[in-house]
């Protein structure tokens, strides 16, 4: 199973940006899809996660500013980011977990997309 992110870029503080992620391949199901981020010199941290049933959870620093959603038979996930701050600058990674058609589990990561918040 492969995961591809898109939508990163440069945005001014206070602005908005939406990231997209699509999972494709021999997918039997997707248990959950998540966004993580990693800033230079920092550990990768959870930004948001959405389960197959639609329940969501957010990292403390983005709660109330970011919204995660899933569409397209749940193989596509979006991360709507608003009120962006310079400290949101990071590489954002998408993750998908579930079962392949051969019923083996997968835990797939995308290559990441850069988000830079700067004036």
């Amino acid at each position: 199973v492969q995961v591809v992110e898109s939508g990163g870029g440069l945005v001014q503080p206070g602005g908005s940006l939406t990231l997209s992620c699509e999972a494709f391949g021999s997918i039997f199901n997707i248990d959950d899809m998540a966004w993580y981020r990693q800033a230079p010199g920092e550990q990768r941290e959870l930004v948001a996660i959405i389960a197959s049933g639609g329940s969501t959870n957010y990292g403390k620093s983005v709660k109330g500013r970011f919204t995660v959603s899933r569409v397209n038979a749940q193989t596509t996930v979006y991360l709507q980011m608003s009120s962006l701050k310079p400290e949101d600058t990071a590489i954002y990674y998408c993750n998908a977990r579930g079962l392949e058609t051969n019923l083996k589990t997968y835990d797939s990561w995308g290559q990441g997309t850069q988000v830079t918040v700067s004036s």
Side-chain angles (χ1 to χ4, degrees):
V1 174
Q2 293 179 289
V3 174
V4 177
E5 309 100 335
S6 62
L10 173 64
V11 62
Q12 292 189 338
S16 300
L17 199 64
T18 297
L19 306 181
S20 302
C21 169
E22 182 180 7
F24 57 94
S26 302
I27 297 172
F28 179 73
N29 71 6
I30 300 178
D31 289 331
D32 55 59
M33 295 185 77
W35 288 96
Y36 289 77
R37 68 185 183 186
Q38 188 167 20
E42 301 288 334
Q43 288 189 332
R44 191 172 294 190
E45 63 173 352
L46 175 70
V47 175
I49 186 167
I50 183 165
S52 58
S55 61
T56 58
N57 198 16
Y58 295 90
K60 195 174 181 180
S61 62
V62 307
K63 200 172 290 187
R65 300 188 296 122
F66 291 10
T67 302
V68 62
S69 59
R70 281 170 74 170
V71 294
N72 291 351
Q74 303 183 35
T75 59
T76 301
V77 64
Y78 298 100
L79 183 68
Q80 295 173 283
M81 305 182 292
S82 61
S83 302
L84 283 161
K85 305 174 183 179
E87 51 264 43
D88 294 316
T89 296
I91 299 175
Y92 284 69
Y93 297 92
C94 183
N95 173 262
R97 299 185 299 181
L99 290 176
E100 295 182 324
T101 52
N102 60 10
L103 300 185
K104 290 185 178 180
T105 60
Y106 63 87
D107 184 348
S108 300
W109 292 87
Q111 297 280 6
T113 186
Q114 176 72 46
V115 173
T116 303
V117 185
S118 175
S119 55

